[in-house]
Amino acid sequence: MTTRRTRPAPRPPEGTPPRSELARQARTALADAVRIARWAADGASPGTPPLAAQALERAATALELSPAQVRSGWDRARLAGLVELHGDTARPGWRLRAWDRDDSAVLRGWVALFDAWSLVHPAPRDIESTAVAEAVEAVPQVLSLLQLSAGPVTVPALLDLLGQRVAELHEERCEVPYGPQPLPGPAEPAPTAHPEALVALLLDWALEGLAAVGALTLGSGHATLTPLGNWAVWVKLEQICVAAQSPAGNIEQSAADMLLGCARLTPGPARAEYRAWLAARPVGSAVAELLGVARGEDALLRGLAFEALRVVGAPAEPVVRSVVSDPSLRPYALLWLAEYDGADPEDAQEVLSREEATWLWVDTAAAVADHGETGLLVRHLDSAVQGTVPALLDEVRAVGHPRTVQVLVALAAAHPDPALAKAVRKAAFQVHTGGA
C-alpha cells in the first residue's frame, strides 16, 4: 500500500459557470456545425461530405444556409470531431453520437475547435509562415494574461506581450554556426525580430481567430475571454500542472516503460500516473502508442494498456471498437466497451463468450507467469469460468493461445497437487505435439 497523498481535485476559477452551462454555450457555438454534420452523416444524403459543388448546394438548400456557411460549418464539424472521413464517406464521430446527452463530449469538441483556431481563421497569405508559426506558439501566453486578468485587457498590453514572446522565439531560432568560420568581415547588423507593424497584424489575426471560435470577445481597443475561453485556458494550465506532478516520474517514458513503472502501483496511484502521462501528449498519439504496446507479446502490458485506456475514456472509444476484430485484443476491447457503456466491472465479463473468456484466462496467466508469483498463478485457477480443471484444460487446449504451453508448464510446476500437476503437464505436452 502507498502512503502518498493524492492531489485534490482542482476547481475552476471563481465565477466560472457550471459545466452544464458551459456545454450549453458550446452547443450554441457549434449549432451550425452539428446540423451540417448530421446532414452529411445521417441526413438526406448519408455519407456524403458537403465539399463537392453539388453536395454543397444540396446542403445549403436543405439547411437553409449559404454555401459559405455550409463550408465553414463543415470545417468546424471536422475540427471538432463531429464527423470522421473514411475515404469519400463521412461518418458520425463519437462526439456527434453523444452530443445531446453528454456534456463532456460537447466540451471536448469545443476545446478541439479552440485548439484549431488558426485553422478556422487562416492567416493572411502575405505573412511569412515562420512568423505565423511563432505567433501561434506565443498565443498561449497571451491567453494566460487574459485569464489571469479576469476581465478586459487592452490591445497595447497584449501587443507588448506578443512582441516580447515572438522576439524570444525568433532569437531561439537564430542558430549559431558550427565548425571553423572564416575571418569576420565588416560588422553586420544582428538579426532583429519582426517589426512592430507585423506583430500588430499577427495580434489582430490571432484575436480574430480566437473570437471566431468563441474564446473571446473584442471591444474597442480591448479583448476579454468568454466564459468558455476562460474555462478552456484554465483546463490547459491545469493539464500542464498535472503533467508536471507525475507521481512516479514516468511522464517522459515510452508507453511500455510507463506501464511497467506502474505495474506494482495500487490502482489509485496507477491511474494518477496514467493521467499525468496522457496529459503530456496529444490524445490520438497516446491512444495509438498504448494500443501498439497492447499488440505486443507481453500480456501484462496488454492488460495495463487497457487500464490506461480506461482513463482516456470517450476519445478512445472509436479506436477500441476498431480492434474488436483482433483476436488478441478482442476480450480486452469488449470488456472496455462494456464498462464504457455503463456495465459494472464485475458484470462486464458476461459480454465474453466462453472461448473469449478462456483466451483471456490464458493471457492473464501468461502475465502472472512472466511477472508474478507462483502462488498467484495457482490461485488464478479459481477465476476460470470452467467448473473443473479437466474442463478448463480441454478448452484451454482448443482456444489456440500462443502462450498455452508455457502457461500450462508453469502451472504444473507451481501446483502442489501431484495428480493435478501431472494432468496439466500432460495437457501441455499434447498442445506442444499437436495431439488430442
Side-chain angles (χ1 to χ4, degrees):
M1 297 293 291
T2 179
T3 58
R4 182 184 287 114
R5 298 182 66 180
T6 58
R7 186 169 179 258
R11 294 183 178 181
E14 185 177 352
T16 301
R19 287 176 67 86
S20 58
E21 172 59 21
L22 290 170
R24 186 196 66 77
Q25 295 177 15
R27 286 186 175 97
T28 300
L30 284 164
D32 283 350
V34 170
R35 290 179 64 205
I36 293 166
R38 285 176 171 157
W39 180 89
D42 301 319
S45 299
T48 304
L51 299 178
Q54 292 181 345
L56 189 66
E57 292 296 334
R58 289 200 305 272
T61 301
L63 300 172
E64 298 181 348
L65 298 171
S66 70
Q69 288 175 314
V70 172
R71 189 177 291 107
S72 173
W74 173 251
D75 289 340
R76 289 165 178 258
R78 291 187 61 191
L79 293 170
L82 299 173
V83 289
E84 300 170 357
L85 287 185
H86 300 265
D88 293 331
T89 302
R91 297 177 185 171
W94 69 267
R95 286 176 183 142
L96 184 62
R97 296 193 297 270
W99 195 255
D100 293 329
R101 59 178 170 80
D102 189 339
D103 288 348
S104 293
V106 173
L107 291 172
R108 285 177 183 271
W110 185 86
V111 169
L113 184 69
F114 167 71
D115 288 339
W117 67 266
S118 60
L119 301 178
V120 172
H121 184 67
R125 294 184 180 180
D126 56 347
I127 300 181
E128 184 184 351
S129 60
T130 301
V132 171
E134 290 169 351
V136 171
E137 192 172 344
V139 158
Q141 287 189 307
V142 173
L143 289 168
S144 295
L145 174 61
L146 285 161
Q147 201 259 350
L148 290 171
S149 300
V153 179
T154 63
V155 169
L158 297 174
L159 183 63
D160 183 57
L161 176 60
L162 182 67
Q164 290 181 31
R165 183 58 184 145
V166 166
E168 292 171 358
L169 294 169
H170 189 74
E171 185 177 352
E172 290 171 4
R173 288 184 169 87
C174 293
E175 298 179 354
V176 177
Y178 179 77
Q181 301 296 316
L183 292 174
E188 297 181 359
T192 59
H194 304 301
E196 185 174 342
L198 177 57
V199 177
L201 186 60
L202 290 169
L203 178 64
D204 288 344
W205 164 65
L207 294 179
E208 290 169 2
L210 292 164
V213 299
L216 53 80
T217 57
L218 299 175
S220 179
H222 65 266
T224 309
L225 285 177
T226 63
L228 270 175
N230 187 64
W231 171 80
V233 175
W234 172 78
V235 167
K236 297 296 180 182
L237 292 172
E238 187 59 30
Q239 287 176 345
I240 294 172
C241 293
V242 170
Q245 298 186 25
S246 169
N250 290 304
I251 185 173
E252 296 181 358
Q253 302 295 326
S254 66
D257 290 340
M258 181 274 294
L259 293 171
L260 280 175
C262 296
R264 296 196 177 277
L265 296 178
T266 53
R271 284 191 294 270
E273 193 71 4
Y274 300 151
R275 290 190 187 97
W277 186 87
L278 290 163
R281 290 159 177 79
V283 65
S285 60
V287 169
E289 190 175 352
L290 288 170
L291 278 179
V293 173
R295 289 190 174 95
E297 297 182 357
D298 194 322
L300 175 66
L301 292 186
R302 186 159 30 253
L304 291 175
F306 276 87
E307 288 299 319
L309 287 171
R310 285 178 171 84
V311 174
V312 177
E317 181 203 2
V319 183
V320 173
R321 287 193 187 280
S322 72
V323 302
V324 168
S325 59
D326 186 327
S328 66
L329 302 182
R330 178 176 174 82
Y332 293 98
L334 291 176
L335 291 175
W336 191 99
L337 291 168
E339 293 179 28
Y340 172 75
D341 289 337
D344 187 282
E346 294 184 0
D347 299 330
Q349 296 280 342
E350 297 176 2
V351 304
L352 301 182
S353 67
R354 181 98 162 191
E355 182 178 4
E356 290 160 354
T358 303
W359 196 99
L360 183 60
W361 185 92
V362 178
D363 206 49
T364 307
V368 174
D370 290 343
H371 300 276
E373 301 173 356
T374 55
L376 187 58
L377 186 61
V378 173
R379 291 195 296 275
H380 184 54
L381 275 173
D382 296 334
S383 66
V385 295
Q386 293 78 8
T388 65
V389 171
L392 170 65
L393 294 177
D394 286 342
E395 295 184 34
V396 163
R397 284 182 295 188
V399 80
H401 193 289
R403 294 292 303 279
T404 299
V405 172
Q406 294 94 324
V407 164
L408 293 178
V409 168
L411 181 58
H415 207 284
D417 184 333
L420 190 147
K422 181 178 180 180
V424 174
R425 277 194 299 272
K426 181 179 178 181
F429 178 78
Q430 289 173 337
V431 174
H432 178 64
T433 59

